[in-house]
Amino acid sequence: MVGRCALSPRVFLPFLYPTIFRVNGGNSARSCLIVAGARHNSSSSSDANSGDALVVHPTSRLNPEPDDFAQPYFADKAKITVFAGAGGHGCISFLREAYMEEGPANGGDGGHGGNVYIQAVRGETSLHKLTRRRFIRAGKGKTGQGSARGGTRGDDVVITVPVGTIITELSRKDPEAENALWESQHNKKTRINIRRDDGTEEGHEEVPEEDEYEDDPGRKKWMLYPGISSSEAKSIILPDLPYRDRVYSQPKSPLYLDLSKPTPRPILLAAGGLGGLGNPHFVSKERMRPLIATKGEEAMSMEIELELKLLADVGLVGLPNAGKSTLLRSLTNSRTRVGNWEFTTLQPNIGTVVLDNNKGRPTITSFRRTTDTYVDDVFSPTAAAKAESAELERRTNFTIADIPGLVEGAHLDKGLGMEFLRHVERANVLAFVIDLGAGNAVKALKALWSEVGLYAQMREEEEQKRAREARIEWEVEAGTDHAGNYWPTTRAMADYPVPEPETTGLSIASKPWYVVATKGDIPGTQDNFKELRNYIHDVTTGTEQHPSAVKGAWTKNCTVIPVSAINGHGVNRIVHWTVGLLDG
Ligand SMILES: Nc1nc2c(ncn2[C@@H]2O[C@H](COP(=O)(O)OP(=O)(O)OP(=O)(O)O)[C@@H](O)[C@H]2O)c(=O)[nH]1
Ligand SMILES: [Mg+2]
């Protein structure tokens, strides 16, 4: 993996050494700088500035006023409850015509309830639309009508989320599954009793007790003609509920979806209930005029948590006030907030670097691998991997995520780090932004890497815990043993030893990375830069270990790119270098 822009380790840019590039008393190199005493960076340490006049930059797009910014709505977490639509009831009705006293049954079936789907689409960047909606409901199926008119189907709902969203099921309520469980348990109970009595010549079926029968959810599924009396209702003989094929089956519990790619078709989250059957379904020789129909199925609901891990190509990692947002502005059209204080950025910003001249002519030639996966694949990662069809596509842009600054202990949730570190977790390339004017750059880089490394280990532990929990617990369905003893549905645990978790931190440390040494225009930062450059060189050659101290971390082609983001100097190198790393 080699960066496109092979930096000569000995090249220094004019803003780092203005004196070398000064022509005729330095007018040209210093033309962009106004020397005065008005504004200076609090971050620029006194030693860095010693002996030089303070540099003031005119207000511009790269050095905006603190209130000159655009703040898009953003949320990266949401908790919602989705309700599938209930099925409409079947109808009890009879044909009424002149001279026809007792017409045939003609009640229509109820419509099926609507489904709730989820789809990851490009273009969405936030979950803020969902945070305000606690409930999302699909439409109910309409009740059937007379003259054999079926009820209309409930409307489906498709929830669109940004690519990079993870959906975790917190709880679900599926009345139909509960009913089915009740029935299976009670049928089994009855069957066991028959078997026990089978020693005699004629085994008899045990009649369920009265109140147990009343609880039978199967009985509650019926609708009786409103015109019949209560005594008639009690004595009415109900047929067995007809077996019905499901149009959609509910996704398996617990649901976990990692939508790291756009889904070509929506994925089913909750299937709507089946519509009830109208009375013509129950016509028989004995029951010529059925006064019964079935109710529509009850709706299933599920509480889910959505977590967005932004999928940017490059993640900017830096201490607060390092100049990340200014760098993002200089590379993209972003209007993120810039200010000379810590934690100016409170939420991640994504900027897009355009690699063509907006007329289709590329300024840099780059290719990306495109992958297509299909709906069912998201449930089975191995199947997804197999089904992946990869082909090369010309890259016209790449995205950069600017996240709030990290402080020491960010992985322990200090500062704003922890909340936003997960956005870097998925970036393909990491760019460490180091302020050359804020003390020792090598120390700063090591501090940043150590936070990122610790965070990666923590995430790995979490992932392993989740995988362990998913593996060792399962449900044992109700049943009988060989002696005919009945047991109810129980949860079981594996009794084999679980392997010790191994956290390497490689999930992040194995990513390609580089350093952006910013604020190179601050006088007196050359030595700091030189030390950093030598250190990075040693890391690449293996003389120094990776700054995170993680074994096997990526050290293939580390580099440091000096820039002065506020002047837009040197930033083009970042674009070229990033493209080289992204293309691999
Ligand atoms: N001299 C100089 N100042 C810079 C440069 N880049 C940024 N600054 C200044 O540094 C200060 C902080 O810049 P930001 O871009 O807001 O820094 P940040 O890393 O996004 O800060 P947080 O969002 O708080 O983490 C601002 O006053 C910028 O004008 C640079 O290249 N040279
Ligand atoms: Mg910022």
Side-chain angles (χ1 to χ4, degrees):
M1 220 180 281
V2 181
R4 283 294 169 80
C5 172
L7 283 178
S8 148
R10 299 283 152 200
V11 168
F12 297 106
L13 298 179
F15 54 84
L16 267 176
Y17 288 101
T19 42
I20 300 175
F21 290 84
R22 196 176 294 159
V23 185
N24 295 336
N27 289 343
S28 65
R30 294 179 81 90
S31 60
C32 62
L33 311 176
I34 301 164
V35 180
R39 180 178 167 148
H40 67 96
N41 288 298
S42 62
S43 57
S44 33
S45 61
S46 52
D47 58 336
N49 285 334
S50 58
D52 277 275
L54 297 170
V55 178
V56 171
H57 299 270
T59 305
S60 66
R61 207 187 81 78
L62 300 182
N63 186 30
E65 293 292 343
D67 56 356
D68 175 11
F69 66 96
Q71 185 118 39
Y73 290 110
F74 181 81
D76 55 1
K77 268 193 178 172
K79 215 183 255 184
I80 52 169
T81 307
V82 294
F83 291 86
H89 301 321
C91 172
I92 307 166
S93 136
F94 300 94
L95 181 70
R96 285 165 62 112
E97 260 181 26
Y99 312 113
M100 191 184 281
E101 225 172 76
E102 295 202 331
N106 70 352
D109 293 343
H112 299 318
N115 301 333
V116 183
Y117 297 93
I118 197 152
Q119 187 170 22
V121 292
R122 287 208 196 278
E124 296 263 357
T125 51
S126 160
L127 295 173
H128 71 270
K129 282 188 233 158
L130 295 175
T131 47
R132 298 201 182 165
R133 295 184 62 183
R134 283 181 49 211
F135 306 107
I136 292 184
R137 293 170 200 275
K140 287 182 185 166
K142 292 271 174 338
T143 306
Q145 305 284 306
S147 315
R149 274 174 297 154
T152 46
R153 211 178 158 277
D155 290 334
D156 290 340
V157 176
V158 181
I159 305 169
T160 52
V161 292
V163 176
T165 306
I166 292 178
I167 295 117
T168 324
E169 176 184 332
L170 298 179
S171 64
R172 77 163 74 182
K173 193 166 184 311
D174 189 350
E176 291 307 319
E178 282 166 21
N179 291 349
L181 188 70
W182 191 96
E183 266 161 32
S184 74
Q185 285 180 355
H186 285 75
N187 286 346
K188 275 189 184 129
K189 223 177 196 171
T190 317
R191 195 162 45 78
I192 297 158
N193 291 329
I194 296 167
R195 208 193 293 164
R196 276 185 192 155
D197 292 354
D198 252 1
T200 60
E201 268 211 331
E202 277 181 35
H204 69 273
E205 191 169 334
E206 190 174 271
V207 182
E209 284 182 12
E210 190 61 31
D211 53 344
E212 201 173 286
Y213 190 61
E214 280 300 306
D215 284 347
D216 182 355
R219 205 176 156 75
K220 290 179 192 153
K221 292 219 148 229
W222 292 97
M223 300 227 324
L224 304 183
Y225 187 63
I228 61 173
S229 66
S230 57
S231 57
E232 263 178 316
K234 269 193 181 162
S235 60
I236 203 161
I237 297 168
L238 295 170
D240 282 347
L241 272 172
Y243 176 79
R244 301 182 66 188
D245 280 333
R246 299 205 68 85
V247 189
Y248 303 96
S249 56
Q250 302 290 8
K252 268 193 193 149
S253 178
L255 181 97
Y256 178 83
L257 295 175
D258 185 349
L259 306 179
S260 56
K261 288 175 192 149
T263 46
R265 280 174 282 163
I267 299 162
L268 183 68
L269 277 188
L274 292 179
L277 297 172
N279 63 343
H281 289 272
F282 307 105
V283 175
S284 63
K285 260 194 243 156
E286 299 79 41
R287 200 186 299 108
M288 301 293 280
R289 285 172 63 78
L291 298 176
I292 50 173
T294 59
K295 289 183 184 169
E297 283 185 356
E298 288 176 70
M300 182 258 208
S301 64
M302 193 196 295
E303 195 187 1
I304 53 171
E305 189 175 57
L306 299 103
E307 190 185 357
L308 172 62
K309 293 188 179 181
L310 289 178
L311 281 178
D313 296 304
V314 184
L316 297 183
V317 185
L319 296 169
N321 216 28
K324 301 176 292 298
S325 303
T326 313
L327 185 66
L328 185 76
R329 272 183 174 246
S330 68
L331 288 165
T332 69
N333 272 337
S334 158
R335 288 189 58 225
T336 169
R337 191 175 199 187
V338 167
N340 196 10
W341 60 86
E342 297 193 342
F343 299 115
T344 317
T345 305
L346 295 173
Q347 61 183 36
N349 293 292
I350 297 244
T352 306
V353 179
V354 181
L355 300 179
D356 66 19
N357 63 354
N358 290 321
K359 288 179 190 154
R361 186 172 293 240
T363 47
I364 298 173
T365 319
S366 167
F367 293 92
R368 80 165 90 215
R369 234 167 265 283
T370 55
T371 48
D372 285 326
T373 45
Y374 297 98
V375 174
D376 302 338
D377 296 337
V378 285
F379 294 105
S380 142
T382 40
K386 272 188 210 155
E388 256 173 29
S389 64
E391 51 184 69
L392 288 181
E393 173 192 87
R394 189 179 280 276
R395 190 195 304 273
T396 53
N397 58 47
F398 68 83
T399 49
I400 304 188
D402 163 31
I403 63 159
L406 300 185
V407 291
E408 202 183 319
H411 76 283
L412 299 174
D413 222 0
K414 287 194 184 155
L416 295 167
M418 170 81 167
E419 186 59 16
F420 297 108
L421 260 170
R422 62 196 143 95
H423 295 304
V424 233
E425 205 182 320
R426 297 196 151 198
N428 297 321
V429 173
L430 299 182
F432 288 83
V433 182
I434 307 281
D435 178 354
L436 284 178
N440 191 295
V442 177
K443 233 170 126 187
L445 178 66
K446 282 185 181 165
L448 285 172
W449 255 121
S450 111
E451 283 310 319
V452 173
L454 288 169
Y455 172 76
Q457 284 181 12
M458 231 176 63
R459 291 290 306 160
E460 282 169 20
E461 253 169 52
E462 269 174 35
E463 280 299 309
Q464 283 165 356
K465 196 172 156 215
R466 208 173 55 75
R468 242 184 356 254
E469 277 170 6
R471 200 179 56 214
I472 62 169
E473 255 188 72
W474 72 92
E475 211 154 76
V476 177
E477 270 201 19
T480 51
D481 62 14
H482 60 278
N485 298 321
Y486 172 80
W487 72 80
T489 303
T490 44
R491 289 193 85 75
M493 304 278 285
D495 50 2
Y496 55 84
V498 181
E500 278 300 305
E502 246 184 59
T503 51
T504 56
L506 272 176
S507 55
I508 297 186
S510 61
K511 288 180 196 289
W513 59 279
Y514 58 84
V515 181
V516 179
T518 187
K519 305 197 188 176
D521 54 278
I522 295 178
T525 51
Q526 293 91 340
D527 290 342
N528 203 6
F529 173 74
K530 263 190 218 162
E531 196 190 327
L532 178 63
R533 190 204 56 197
N534 293 341
Y535 170 74
I536 294 292
H537 180 257
D538 289 348
V539 171
T540 313
T541 54
T543 325
E544 282 275 358
Q545 65 171 354
H546 188 273
S548 69
V550 170
K551 282 207 183 83
W554 190 90
T555 53
K556 224 171 170 183
N557 198 10
C558 312
T559 196
V560 48
I561 304 173
V563 299
S564 168
I566 204 162
N567 296 310
H569 290 170
V571 291
N572 260 346
R573 286 165 179 255
I574 298 178
V575 179
H576 283 84
W577 193 263
T578 309
V579 166
L581 292 177
L582 288 176
D583 285 3

